[in-house]
Amino acid sequence: MCSTPQIREATAEDLGAIEGIYNHYVIHSACTYQETPGSLEERRTWFDAHGPGYPIIVAEIDGKIVGYGSLSPFHSRSGYRFTVENAVYVRDEFRGRGIGGLLLGELIRRAHLLGFRAIIACVDAEQTASLRLHERHGFVRCGLFRQIGFKFGRWLDVVYLELVLPPT
């Protein structure tokens, strides 16, 4: 049995593992609508755009990155500055072990500490595990966009969920 996952701030040294986790889902899943695998250079640009106000965290077991999560700006207009979008990805062979819940819980905690008011999740409608994960953490469904994504030769629906955080 493996050790308990440790959640920590991501570093530049983690980018290869993060990109590997993400690219698995690019190739095999509709949980991301990116259709071609990304590069380490693209991941570095993504990482550099985050910084302390938009954390990236990783879950690590016995020195191996088994998942990551991030908070990103929801929209570029200033009126949205108190709203973030979350992303959580777990290495395929570690799914179903509670790692996604640990990552999402930590992202919620950090969002609150950073003074954000709301977290938005955009989830493919067929990703029932991700929908359940968000709902277990208090997110509520607030929108369904039909056939706005296209991947694997078919149209896909997106569910928007929101978590309104208490005032700080």
Side-chain angles (χ1 to χ4, degrees), residues 8-30:
R8 64 169 174 79
E9 200 75 36
T11 67
E13 289 75 34
D14 300 324
L15 294 179
I18 289 170
E19 190 63 18
I21 292 168
Y22 183 73
N23 279 339
H24 168 83
Y25 291 101
V26 169
I27 295 166
H28 299 287
S29 175

Side-chain angles (χ1 to χ4, degrees), residues 24-25 29 66 90-99 127 129:
H24 168 83
Y25 291 101
S29 175
V66 297
V90 176
R91 187 176 296 278
D92 187 53
E93 64 270 24
F94 285 85
R95 288 175 40 205
R97 299 185 192 184
I99 295 166
Q127 302 299 315

Side-chain angles (χ1 to χ4, degrees), residues 9-10 43-57 69-73 84 107 110 114 116:
E9 200 75 36
R43 184 58 57 185
R44 188 171 312 283
T45 300
W46 168 83
F47 182 80
D48 291 344
H50 276 73
Y54 297 99
I56 302 170
I57 58 176
S70 64
L71 295 176
S72 301
V84 289
L107 289 174
R110 289 178 183 225
L114 288 165
F116 291 111

Side-chain angles (χ1 to χ4, degrees), residues 38-88:
S39 69
L40 192 54
E41 181 179 306
E42 291 167 327
R43 184 58 57 185
R44 188 171 312 283
T45 300
W46 168 83
F47 182 80
D48 291 344
H50 276 73
Y54 297 99
I56 302 170
I57 58 176
V58 296
E60 186 175 47
I61 296 177
D62 299 329
K64 180 179 185 175
I65 304 300
V66 297
Y68 74 94
S70 64
L71 295 176
S72 301
F74 171 67
H75 199 287
S76 62
R77 293 200 173 93
S78 64
Y80 293 105
R81 70 187 172 277
F82 298 108
T83 303
V84 289
E85 182 178 352
N86 83 79
V88 173

Side-chain angles (χ1 to χ4, degrees), residues 6 10 13 24 26 39 43 51 73 79 85 87 111 113 117 132 134 140 152 165:
Q6 301 300 308
E13 289 75 34
H24 168 83
V26 169
S39 69
R43 184 58 57 185
E85 182 178 352
L113 290 174
R117 181 65 169 148
R132 284 193 310 264
H134 283 86
V140 295
F152 302 134
L165 300 168

